[in-house]
Structure formats: C-alpha cells, structure tokens
Amino acid sequence: MQDRAAAKPKSATPLKRSGIARPMRPATLPVRLRSLTFVILSGLLAVLHAPLVFLTAPFLSFEQRYRFVNIWSVVIMWLLRHLNGVRIEVHGREHIPQDRGVVVMSNHQSPWETFYLQLLVSPQATILKKELLWIPFFGWGLALLRPIAIDRAAGSQALKTILREGAARLADGISVTIFPEGTRQPPGTIGHFNSGGAMLATRSGADVLPVAHNSGDCWPARSVMRYPGRIRLVIGEPISSKGKSAKALTAEVEQWIQAHYPGPLSGAGGGVGRVS
C-alpha cells in the first residue's frame, strides 16, 4: 500500500449529482475465476476465524477484540492485492486524529470501505443496518465491535439511536463512521447526503473526517466481481462542527467529497473530481 499526502484538486467547484452510472466493466474469464476464488476463500476464512473470535472475546478488552476481529479484514485486503490485482493507495493518512474520536463521513460504493475504514481509523463504531448483524459469522463478529445498528424503517427513532449511541462512542474516544448517502452508489456518482452524521457532530462537538474513494471501480456493489485496478482513498483535514448547523456542515462535507473524488464524476454540470 502506498501512503501519499493528498494534493488539492485543480478546481474545487462543486459537482452536480447524477443517477447516470458508467456501464459495468466486462469481466474476462481470468477475472471471473479469481473473483469466484476470492468469494470462496473469504467465506472459508470467516467460518474458520469466527469461532476463535467468539472463544476469546470474553477475555479480551474492546481494543484487543477489535484488532482480533479485524484480522479477517487484513487478510481480505491481502487477497484483493495478490489474487485480484487490486492496489490500495491512501492520500492524507496524516489527517487522522490520534487523540480523539471523530465522525468519519465517506461516500459509499461497496463493502470494501466498510472493511478498510475499520483498519484505517481504529477503533471505530460503524452505523449500519441491523440486518447486517444477522449474517452468519460475518455479522456475529461485527456485533462484537460495538456498531450502531439501526432500523431504517424506524424513521426518527433511528436518528435518535444514532445521536444517543454515537455520542456515547465519541465520549469513549471511539470514532463513528457513517455513510451519509445511506446506500451504495454506482462508481462515478455521489448520492444525496442525509444529515444524521452532521447532527451527531454538531451536537457532540466532534470534528468530521471527510473521506472520498472510488472502491466501486474494483469491487462493485451487489456483484461477485473483483476487478484489477487501483482504489484510491482520500482523507481530508478534520472539519470543525463548532458554530455550524447540521445542514451547513452536511453541505460542506458533501462539497469536499465531490471535489476530491479520485476520478471522473457523472453529472449534468460536467466537471471532474481528481486527486493529482
């Protein structure tokens, strides 16, 4: 993995959202075979790793349990690199605070960022659909990491859960990761941002750590394909929430992610987000 400081884009002009996605890349036979192998190996590793996690969890602190559970994520990233030819390039790692918890706000394209951000910002609690905790082995292990599980259909109650439990995690020095688009977007698109993460930040006084990436280019959502290529992840300087409304903070973070998206963005207004 390479770790480079993020350069400012040539233009910080906000880009318009679009539902127009780039067409799916064609998958050659070798890509299909390696992708299937990845799915099989990652599943077997989860089955083997989970019992060890459950047996040792009662004897580990939260930090130790967090690292032990995420051994699986480390191996998954190794498989992506050496089996599927996916390189990971991080810009701006130095912007991650080490002395306090922050609200991490990232665009959402694939399961990849769910795993990788847990390695990058540690420890953290992820806001996720409660249904994910029901997935055998994977979900059970995830439950040990103190995630904030919500019922999307619950409306205002889900937001109350985010604000209550998120504030508790931040008070304990644990960062909270939220994907404000709410659902995964196709590569090259940015969805509508909800204000839940910004509300948590403004009410708790925490900074927001903005993150932009192009994971869907190599690991598309709802697909078994793992395409060779480069995932670039850009981390910005923490954005203060003090004196800002949730609406204004949401807009500021959304504009940053659009301006620093590492690749072309589809949009009626044109324009390209680019990391030089």
Side-chain angles (χ1 to χ4, degrees):
M1 285 181 205
Q2 297 179 340
D3 185 11
R4 304 175 185 172
K8 292 183 179 180
K10 296 179 180 179
S11 172
T13 303
L15 304 174
K16 295 184 179 181
R17 292 183 295 268
S18 171
I20 303 174
R22 296 196 298 273
M24 183 70 71
R25 295 166 59 183
T28 63
L29 180 59
V31 167
R32 291 178 182 274
L33 292 175
R34 292 190 184 102
S35 297
L36 181 59
T37 302
F38 175 90
V39 172
I40 294 172
L41 289 178
S42 60
L44 288 175
L45 287 168
V47 172
L48 294 173
H49 183 52
L52 296 176
V53 170
F54 301 142
L55 287 172
T56 58
F59 309 102
L60 301 177
S61 67
F62 172 71
E63 289 76 11
Q64 292 171 330
R65 189 165 65 244
Y66 187 94
R67 289 193 295 270
F68 191 45
V69 170
N70 274 297
I71 289 175
W72 184 82
S73 297
V74 172
V75 176
I76 289 305
M77 297 305 151
W78 186 91
L79 280 175
L80 274 179
R81 170 67 180 88
H82 295 279
L83 176 63
N84 305 101
V86 178
R87 298 176 181 272
I88 300 171
E89 186 177 290
V90 179
H91 301 252
R93 191 190 297 263
E94 69 277 5
H95 295 149
I96 302 174
Q98 302 298 321
D99 59 345
R100 65 191 188 279
V102 292
V103 178
V104 181
M105 292 177 64
S106 168
N107 64 306
H108 199 19
Q109 292 187 356
S110 133
W112 176 86
E113 57 267 21
T114 305
F115 305 138
Y116 192 73
L117 286 176
Q118 289 188 14
L119 302 175
L120 200 61
V121 182
S122 174
Q124 67 160 267
T126 303
I127 298 174
L128 46 76
K129 298 182 296 183
K130 66 178 183 179
E131 291 84 356
L132 291 177
L133 303 182
W134 303 341
I135 300 175
F137 303 108
F138 166 74
W140 303 340
L142 191 60
L144 296 173
L145 302 184
R146 297 179 63 186
I148 301 174
I150 61 171
D151 180 359
R152 286 184 179 175
S156 60
Q157 187 58 46
L159 179 58
K160 291 178 181 178
T161 299
I162 292 173
L163 298 179
R164 181 183 66 253
E165 297 192 20
R169 301 293 192 279
L170 290 167
D172 289 340
I174 299 172
S175 293
V176 176
T177 296
I178 186 169
F179 302 106
E181 293 161 299
T183 189
R184 296 167 189 150
Q185 304 296 317
T189 62
I190 300 294
H192 173 72
F193 275 38
N194 63 57
S195 59
M199 288 183 67
L200 173 60
T202 55
R203 295 194 181 193
S204 64
D207 291 342
V208 170
L209 188 70
V211 175
H213 60 83
N214 64 325
S215 68
D217 287 342
C218 296
W219 185 332
R222 295 171 288 278
S223 172
V224 298
M225 292 297 104
R226 306 291 182 263
Y227 295 99
R230 180 173 56 174
I231 294 177
R232 291 194 291 172
L233 183 142
V234 189
I235 307 166
E237 294 183 12
I239 298 174
S240 175
S241 65
K242 294 179 181 179
K244 299 174 183 176
S245 68
K247 182 178 180 180
L249 182 57
T250 300
E252 183 176 355
V253 174
E254 181 177 5
Q255 178 176 334
W256 187 96
I257 290 176
Q258 289 179 331
H260 292 80
Y261 182 83
L265 276 173
S266 302
V272 173
R274 177 69 64 183
V275 176
S276 301

